[in-house]
């Protein structure tokens, strides 16, 4: 098809980390981060399919088998869809931790699809790309489809993942000045374990409270009402159980709320936690106190001070 003809032979792209399960938005609400993220490079070859040339930053953990790697499998799904008459050689540079609750597999999957799309003369829209990115993420998530990481990683900004079948991703406006603190303790919580501890059923009371808080949180984001956002960021279903897997959760929550955070919650299934600040200067003043506080903990921790990434993935170079 003419619309799928190649324009470039090489592309390098960046795909961002993301926060999912935002407060009461379990499997529904997520947002993209300016940092960290992954870098994916693809080079056109005459050999059909996808081969992985090199992976860096993964500590040897990721598979070089194209059908068992999230980035390459997502790219392969997309190439099959467009009936590509070319192959690609892929290089993956991981710049974010695994099993962190920051959408590492989603970033790789989005990066793989986005990089191939960047090679084309007429690029396909996100609505065509997202299902292939979700196919890639299934490699890491055990065939569990949810779009609250892939959605923001691809679309940027805050998104509501209303539905998978059919796909329905809704991007909502948010306060541009919103500052975000990311705290990643170096402990591992596997997504499978974090899902296993969740109840199969919830009470009617908790279901009503969760719905009310999710609705008011979205209203607070769109209205730029930080007080409404703050009092709506309560998860009655997953976070009370998952917080028990993170030794520093309660102490860190008390500390950050004391020093001006609008909210404090777990990102994804953890162990990463995040806070919103309505004033970047307050966050800037809090950061040194936070680092001093974290030194007292016995757990090595990374801290990111970032903003919401409204663009999503970006092309670094094409040629």
């Amino acid at each position: 098809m003419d619309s799928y003809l190649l324009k470039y032979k090489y592309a390098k792209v960046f795909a961002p980390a993301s926060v999912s399960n935002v407060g009461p938005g379990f499997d529904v609400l997520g947002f993209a981060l300016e940092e960290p993220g992954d870098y994916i490079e693809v080079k056109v070859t005459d050999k059909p399919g996808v081969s992985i040339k090199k992976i860096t930053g993964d500590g040897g953990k990721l598979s070089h088998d194209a059908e068992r790697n999230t980035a390459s499998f997502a790219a392969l799904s997309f190439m099959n869809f467009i009936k590509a008459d070319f192959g690609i050689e892929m290089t993956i540079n991981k710049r974010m931790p695994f099993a962190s609750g920051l959408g590492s597999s989603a970033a790789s999957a989005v990066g793989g699809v986005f990089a191939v799309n960047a090679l084309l003369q007429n690029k396909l829209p996100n609505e065509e790309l997202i299902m292939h990115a979700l196919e890639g993420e299934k490699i890491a998530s055990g065939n569990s489809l949810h779009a609250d990481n892939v959605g923001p990683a691809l679309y940027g900004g805050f998104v509501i993942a209303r539905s998978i079948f059919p796909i329905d991703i809704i991007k909502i406006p948010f306060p541009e000045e919103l500052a975000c603190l990311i705290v990643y303790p170096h402990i591992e919580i596997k997504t499978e374990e974090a899902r296993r501890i969740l109840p199969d059923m919830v009470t009617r009371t908790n279901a009503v409270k969760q719905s009310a808080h999710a609705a008011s949180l979205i209203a607070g984001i769109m209205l730029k009402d930080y007080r409404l956002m703050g009092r709506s960021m309560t998860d009655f279903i997953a976070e009370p159980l998952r917080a028990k897997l993170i030794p520093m959760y309660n102490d860190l929550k008390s500390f950050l709320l004391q020093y001006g955070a609008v909210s404090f919650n777990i990102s994804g299934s953890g162990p990463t936690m995040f806070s919103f600040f309505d004033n970047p200067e307050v966050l800037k003043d809090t950061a040194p106190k936070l680092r001093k506080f974290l030194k007292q903990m016995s757990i090595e921790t990374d801290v990111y001070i970032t903003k919401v990434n409204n663009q999503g993935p970006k092309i670094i170079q094409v040629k």
Side-chain angles (χ1 to χ4, degrees):
M1 299 182 189
D2 289 344
S3 60
Y4 299 147
L5 291 177
L6 285 169
K7 183 177 182 179
Y8 300 105
K9 297 290 187 180
Y10 168 88
K12 180 179 181 180
V13 305
F14 168 82
S18 53
V19 170
S20 61
N21 298 341
V22 180
F26 180 75
D27 276 2
V28 171
L29 186 62
F31 63 93
L33 298 171
E34 287 190 345
E35 60 172 335
D38 289 345
Y39 290 86
I40 307 290
E41 299 175 65
V42 293
K43 180 181 178 181
V44 173
T45 65
D46 294 330
K47 183 180 178 181
V50 180
S51 63
I52 298 177
K53 179 182 178 181
K54 185 179 181 181
I55 304 176
T56 61
D58 69 324
K61 294 180 180 179
L62 294 181
S63 174
H64 283 66
D65 182 341
E67 295 195 356
R68 299 180 63 187
N69 182 289
T70 57
S72 53
F73 191 77
L76 187 60
S77 174
F78 179 52
M79 290 169 67
N80 288 337
F81 173 74
I82 65 174
K83 297 179 171 59
D85 60 357
F86 59 90
I88 61 166
E89 183 181 72
M90 178 178 288
T91 298
I92 303 166
N93 184 357
K94 294 294 296 182
R95 296 285 188 90
M96 54 190 296
F98 298 95
S100 61
L102 287 173
S104 177
S105 58
S108 292
V110 166
V113 172
F114 190 76
V116 176
N117 198 43
L119 299 171
L120 304 180
Q121 284 189 11
N122 294 315
K123 297 172 180 55
L124 275 70
N126 288 338
E127 291 74 17
E128 296 282 355
L129 301 181
I130 189 166
M131 289 309 299
H132 305 290
L134 286 168
E135 283 297 312
E137 196 191 21
K138 279 168 61 175
I139 298 292
S141 62
N143 292 322
S144 174
L145 275 180
H146 47 93
D148 54 339
N149 279 119
V150 166
L154 181 59
Y155 285 70
F158 269 91
V159 305
I160 304 168
R162 191 197 68 82
S163 170
I164 296 290
F165 302 108
I167 192 69
D168 193 0
I169 303 296
I170 304 157
K171 189 171 179 178
I172 62 174
F174 63 91
E176 292 183 5
E177 69 277 9
L178 186 65
C180 186
L181 174 72
I182 303 292
V183 180
Y184 165 57
H186 291 200
I187 58 175
E188 185 173 355
I189 297 176
K190 293 189 178 297
T191 302
E192 296 85 356
E193 178 187 2
R195 283 190 171 268
R196 181 182 53 79
I197 65 173
L198 300 183
D200 293 327
M201 303 284 288
V202 298
T203 65
R204 180 191 304 173
T205 298
N206 279 348
V208 171
K209 289 193 292 186
Q210 190 88 349
S211 297
H213 279 68
S216 60
L217 173 59
I218 292 166
I221 294 169
M222 296 179 70
L223 294 171
K224 303 182 181 181
D225 185 334
Y226 292 104
R227 290 187 177 182
L228 180 55
M229 287 173 61
R231 65 178 185 265
S232 302
M233 287 284 285
T234 303
D235 175 11
F236 298 92
I237 297 173
E239 191 152 317
L241 297 171
R242 289 175 169 175
K244 298 175 183 178
L245 302 176
I246 307 173
M248 64 204 307
Y249 174 87
N250 290 321
D251 290 339
L252 192 56
K253 180 175 184 176
S254 297
F255 178 88
L256 287 171
L257 292 178
Q258 175 187 349
Y259 281 99
V262 172
S263 59
F264 181 86
N265 294 87
I266 299 172
S267 174
S269 55
T272 294
M273 296 153 283
F274 72 99
S275 283
F276 288 136
F277 284 76
D278 59 1
N279 186 333
E281 292 302 316
V282 172
L283 175 52
K284 186 178 178 180
D285 291 341
T286 301
K289 301 183 183 72
L290 172 63
R291 290 188 170 93
K292 184 177 180 180
F293 177 78
L294 290 173
K295 281 185 178 180
Q296 301 171 11
M297 303 283 183
S298 57
I299 301 171
E300 186 178 351
T301 307
D302 293 333
V303 174
Y304 302 94
I305 296 175
T306 183
K307 297 184 72 176
V308 178
N309 173 354
N310 199 33
Q311 179 181 351
K314 62 182 177 181
I315 297 172
I316 305 299
Q317 183 183 18
V318 289
K319 59 183 178 180

